[in-house]
Amino acid sequence: MDHHTTAILLVSFGTSYLDSKEKTIDKIMGKISEAFPNCRLYQAWTSKMLLKILKERYHLAIPSVEEAMAEIISDGIKTLIVQPTHFIHGVENDTMINTIQKHVPDTMNVFFGSPLLCSPRDQKKALQTILSDFSHLSQKEALVLMGHGTTHYDNFIYAALNDMLKEMGYANFFLGTMEAYPDLSVLLQKMQNKGIQKVHLAPFMLVAGKHAHQDMAGTSQRSWKSLFEKAGYEVICHFKGLGEYDSIQELYLEHLRAAFDQAYKDI
């Protein structure tokens, strides 16, 4: 391996919440830097809107995927390993791969690490990580995890995770999505007649950002907190993104190492 021409690119959607960025994306960057001290490390965010907010609000410049690729090419990188912090092979991940492949010169080999939830083992590990914080709940309490959801066919993973919670013995633990199936109405229906009085809401997302603070816990009538309260439940909101957990950061590192192994097996 030529360390001078090998690089890692960490790609994230991004967040406008700097405290959450520090606890998640920055921590993952730090762990990658420790694990691969001889590799050049770059990062990029895919949300143009969030990049604009960071620049205007905090004078913080993080490259877009296109900008990162221009820098990587300019630096003479020959082998690039891309690790997304995305959860699934959804729209964001597909777009990121297409964008990178459009910019790759003939002199460069590119390999992609898997998103977080790409195998049943990793899905179970992600759930177990969160469950460790909520295993003490009584039978009158429920945990509801809020995922983003997508129109992409890979959205089936969220319904599978909701089923997996039950298979793991957590009858009062649920996972739904903001934008797809299973949505909040499905969860409310499944929670009826179970004697549940208190609901713990937590984000099933990398960062506890805008979706967690507004769509999950906000004061609007359409937030999940408001809708659960309207349905008669006491609601407690928790703000810890999955990216804050050590074991989730380690999972991303595992995926990156697997991509490295593939790269140097193929070269």
Side-chain angles (χ1 to χ4, degrees):
M1 182 196 300
D2 183 350
H3 296 302
H4 299 295
T5 59
T6 302
I8 296 164
L9 172 62
L10 185 73
V11 180
S12 304
F13 181 77
T15 178
S16 59
Y17 286 71
L18 290 189
D19 58 335
S20 197
K21 168 185 170 291
E22 286 163 12
K23 293 173 187 171
T24 56
I25 299 168
D26 293 355
K27 280 278 174 66
I28 296 167
M29 286 280 288
K31 286 203 170 175
I32 291 173
S33 184
E34 282 174 29
F36 298 90
N38 298 315
C39 282
R40 299 283 292 271
L41 178 56
Y42 302 83
Q43 78 164 319
W45 286 11
T46 58
S47 170
K48 300 288 198 292
M49 182 188 71
L50 289 172
L51 292 175
K52 189 167 180 278
I53 288 171
L54 248 62
K55 200 169 272 186
E56 290 174 357
R57 197 179 291 171
Y58 305 112
H59 308 292
L60 190 59
I62 290 173
S64 65
V65 173
E66 294 88 343
E67 288 165 346
M69 284 304 293
E71 188 182 351
I72 288 163
I73 292 163
S74 169
D75 287 346
I77 298 303
K78 301 294 182 214
T79 303
L80 179 65
I81 319 291
V82 181
Q83 180 56 54
T85 62
H86 303 142
F87 277 17
I88 62 174
H89 283 294
V91 176
E92 286 294 326
N93 206 64
D94 286 351
T95 304
M96 176 271 292
I97 290 172
N98 291 336
T99 303
I100 287 174
Q101 287 175 336
K102 276 181 200 165
H103 289 81
V104 175
D106 295 337
T107 54
M108 188 190 293
N109 291 304
V110 179
F111 300 86
F112 294 91
S114 299
L116 185 67
L117 303 171
C118 285
S119 72
R121 170 192 168 269
D122 292 347
Q123 291 159 17
K124 193 168 186 179
K125 214 165 181 178
L127 289 178
Q128 284 169 332
T129 294
I130 298 180
L131 297 180
S132 63
D133 280 358
F134 295 98
S135 54
H136 63 281
L137 298 190
S138 74
Q139 288 186 325
K140 293 184 177 180
E141 296 175 279
L143 171 66
V144 176
L145 300 171
M146 185 182 82
H148 192 280
T150 175
T151 53
H152 194 278
Y153 60 81
D154 234 24
N155 189 79
F156 77 88
I157 286 173
Y158 291 107
L161 288 166
N162 191 41
D163 289 343
M164 199 180 274
L165 285 167
K166 312 303 176 290
E167 285 165 20
M168 291 164 72
Y170 294 93
N172 286 358
F173 285 24
F174 304 86
L175 192 149
T177 71
M178 289 164 43
E179 296 189 358
Y181 182 87
D183 62 17
L184 184 58
S185 63
V186 172
L187 300 190
L188 283 167
Q189 198 174 355
K190 286 180 183 290
M191 288 167 65
Q192 281 177 0
N193 307 319
K194 280 179 165 281
I196 296 166
Q197 295 173 0
K198 186 188 290 184
V199 170
H200 294 262
L201 279 179
F204 192 77
M205 299 178 187
L206 186 78
V207 300
K210 181 183 172 186
H211 290 311
H213 286 86
Q214 295 183 16
D215 300 301
M216 184 187 86
T219 53
S220 84
Q221 291 182 345
R222 294 176 58 202
S223 77
W224 281 31
K225 179 178 186 283
S226 297
L227 291 166
F228 272 113
E229 285 174 342
K230 191 179 176 185
Y233 297 102
E234 180 189 343
V235 179
I236 296 172
C237 294
H238 303 265
F239 299 94
K240 187 173 182 179
L242 258 71
E244 295 182 42
Y245 292 92
D246 275 342
S247 54
I248 297 295
Q249 295 165 14
E250 291 299 330
L251 261 183
Y252 282 119
L253 264 182
E254 272 183 40
H255 293 189
L256 178 58
R257 287 192 186 99
F260 250 93
D261 291 345
Q262 187 63 45
Y264 285 94
K265 189 178 81 178
D266 289 357
I267 289 173

